Amino acid sequence: FNLFADKAQNEIYNNYFHGIKMSDRKPKNQMDYSDELEMIEEKLHPFYVDEEVQTSTASLTLPTNMHKLINITLGANEVTQVNKHEITYTQTHPLLKASTTRSVFVREDNNIVTIHPAPSDATTFEVSFYKRPAVPNWTYVVVSGKPLYNGSASDAQDFELHASEEENLVNRILILAGVTIKQPDVYQAGMADIQLTKQQQNS
């Protein structure tokens, strides 16, 4: 169940970002409470994090729980992202070269960015990002050979998604379980409910 729960939660969470992209192509609703983009942003709000990260070198390690980077700022100035090809060009051009008031960064491997120009001493950057949802953990005790839920366990972890996603979560877990236990009726029940919900939302 925990594997299914984690996968279902991540599928729903990742769909938020796809939904933001698609909502830009649709007509806007004048009422905030029924505007699709507003609803997605409300669901994403608990995952939004501003975290201070300090470095005294050009290498800045991003938070380990980061899912999607929004921006990096230094004081009142935003640090602009450039790719490795662009930095090679800009750093050799006197008008485009990064400065302390117009810093840039390049994404590297292993969740690290390189800051240009490199800080001369300990400098604090603010990293804004969407964090990954915590991995759900259904804790249990075995009684008479059957697992029973144990919510008092220290490592118990509930879903972090918005309460309105309960039905969506159940259906996605049903689909995953149906495929695993090779029960087409379970899979089809979950899929049919998801398709019905989408039709109702888009009608």
Side-chain angles (χ1 to χ4, degrees), residues 4 9 29 55 66 85 91 101 103 106 120 123 129 157 167 170 182 184 192:
F4 296 159
Q9 178 173 248
N29 193 310
T55 184
M66 186 185 77
H85 173 73
Q91 289 302 91
T101 57
S103 302
V106 178
S120 57
T123 304
F129 62 97
Q157 175 62 54
E167 184 178 355
V170 171
K182 298 180 181 179

Side-chain angles (χ1 to χ4, degrees), residues 28-46:
K28 301 297 180 186
N29 193 310
Q30 296 300 317
M31 297 182 179
D32 288 345
Y33 63 83
S34 60
D35 182 79
E36 185 174 354
L37 182 58
E38 291 286 341
M39 288 189 289
I40 294 173
E41 288 179 344
E42 180 180 345
K43 292 176 181 180
L44 277 172
H45 180 71

Side-chain angles (χ1 to χ4, degrees), residues 110-131:
N110 301 321
N111 227 31
I112 292 174
V113 300
T114 301
I115 305 291
H116 297 272
S120 57
D121 52 16
T123 304
T124 300
F125 294 85
E126 184 171 82
V127 180
S128 299
F129 62 97
Y130 286 112
K131 68 173 186 174

